[in-house]
């Protein structure tokens, strides 16, 4: 199926590894020109180089998305390199887990800054271009954690905030033929999860709680994002697509 994405331009934040890297690759396989961006310049460059070796069209523009000046440079650099801007995937984010009574203010701020403020800043930076061309797709990566997870008050709050932002922007900008949707992943088998000492126990518990009895894979998220970016989803906005294997609570 032709998703109608060939030659369009995408920015995928937090795309040096994990879900972001898989998403960048999936969009590039559709013929998109993709900007790999991450706070880790070395890791982002390595991912871009690896994808280019596959014959895909990517560039690397490192950025700290919590800093408005760097976000502006990211968007301006994208347009300078590729001549346009069409799809934004806000993937950057990470947990800093602890029970609230033990959670540091620094860990609260860091998670909120990256996952929520970073999403705000990137959306704000690309929106004028999308409005001017009267076409755009924004896909924000939330999490099943927005329902609330013990030990993840900061992460749950940030990901719930992403959904509120998604809905508000869908109402603001639908008249410009811009869709804004979210993807809420469940348990995903990423490099970061696999590196945890308790990985096998976490995986076992997650699979037991999931109607489709397997761990999610990065490509599961990448495929969902590609659909929401495509012409196939042109009349879908303000929605949250749960990619959880049926697990909600």
């Amino acid at each position: 199926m032709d998703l109608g994405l060939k030659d369009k331009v995408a920015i995928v934040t937090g795309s040096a590894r994990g879900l972001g890297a898989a998403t960048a690759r999936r969009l590039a396989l559709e013929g998109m020109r993709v900007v790999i961006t991450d706070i880790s310049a070395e890791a982002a460059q390595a991912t871009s180089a690896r994808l280019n070796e596959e014959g895909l069209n990517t560039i690397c523009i490192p950025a700290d998305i919590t800093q408005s000046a760097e976000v502006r440079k990211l968007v301006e650099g994208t347009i300078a390199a590729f001549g346009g801007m069409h799809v934004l995937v806000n993937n950057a984010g990470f947990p800093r887990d602890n029970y609230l009574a033990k959670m540091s203010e620094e860990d609260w701020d860091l998670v909120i800054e990256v996952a929520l403020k970073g999403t705000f800043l990137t959306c704000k930076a690309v929106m004028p271009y999308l409005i001017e061309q009267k076409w755009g797709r924004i896909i924000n990566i939330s999490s099943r954690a927005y329902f609330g997870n013990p030990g993840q008050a900061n992460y749950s709050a940030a990901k719930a905030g992403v959904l509120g932002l998604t809905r508000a922007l869908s109402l603001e900008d639908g008249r410009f033929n811009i869709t804004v949707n979210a993807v809420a992943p469940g348990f995903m088998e990423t490099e970061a999860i696999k590196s945890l000492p308790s990985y096998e126990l976490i995986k076992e518990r997650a699979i037991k709680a999931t109607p489709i009895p397997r761990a999610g894979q990065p490509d599961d998220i990448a495929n969902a994002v590609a659909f929401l970016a495509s012409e196939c989803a042109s009349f879908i906005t303000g929605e949250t697509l749960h990619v959880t294997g049926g697990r909600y609570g």
Side-chain angles (χ1 to χ4, degrees), residues 90-93 115 141-143 145-146 154-164:
N90 280 305
N91 168 74
I141 306 301
S142 180
S143 168
Y146 82 87
N154 49 2
Y155 191 70
S156 295
K159 292 303 188 178
V162 165
L163 296 187

Side-chain angles (χ1 to χ4, degrees), residues 13 65 88 90-92 112-124 138 140-141 159 162 165-166 169:
T13 71
I65 61 165
L88 170 65
N90 280 305
N91 168 74
I112 299 292
E113 284 257 313
V114 175
L116 185 53
K117 182 183 177 182
T119 298
F120 155 71
L121 289 176
T122 53
C123 289
K124 180 178 173 65
I138 296 176
N140 297 322
I141 306 301
K159 292 303 188 178
V162 165
L165 176 61
T166 297
L169 294 183

Side-chain angles (χ1 to χ4, degrees), residues 83-152:
M85 173 64 217
H86 304 95
V87 176
L88 170 65
V89 182
N90 280 305
N91 168 74
F94 48 80
R96 285 289 186 273
D97 296 351
N98 214 331
Y99 287 106
L100 187 65
K102 298 179 180 179
M103 184 176 291
S104 69
E105 187 174 346
E106 179 183 5
D107 281 348
W108 173 273
D109 288 346
L110 187 60
V111 169
I112 299 292
E113 284 257 313
V114 175
L116 185 53
K117 182 183 177 182
T119 298
F120 155 71
L121 289 176
T122 53
C123 289
K124 180 178 173 65
V126 304
M127 197 61 79
Y129 300 98
L130 305 186
I131 290 173
E132 183 178 3
Q133 69 195 7
K134 293 184 169 54
W135 196 97
R137 301 282 188 267
I138 296 176
I139 301 103
N140 297 322
I141 306 301
S142 180
S143 168
R144 190 193 64 81
Y146 82 87
F147 289 110
N149 278 342
Q152 288 194 316

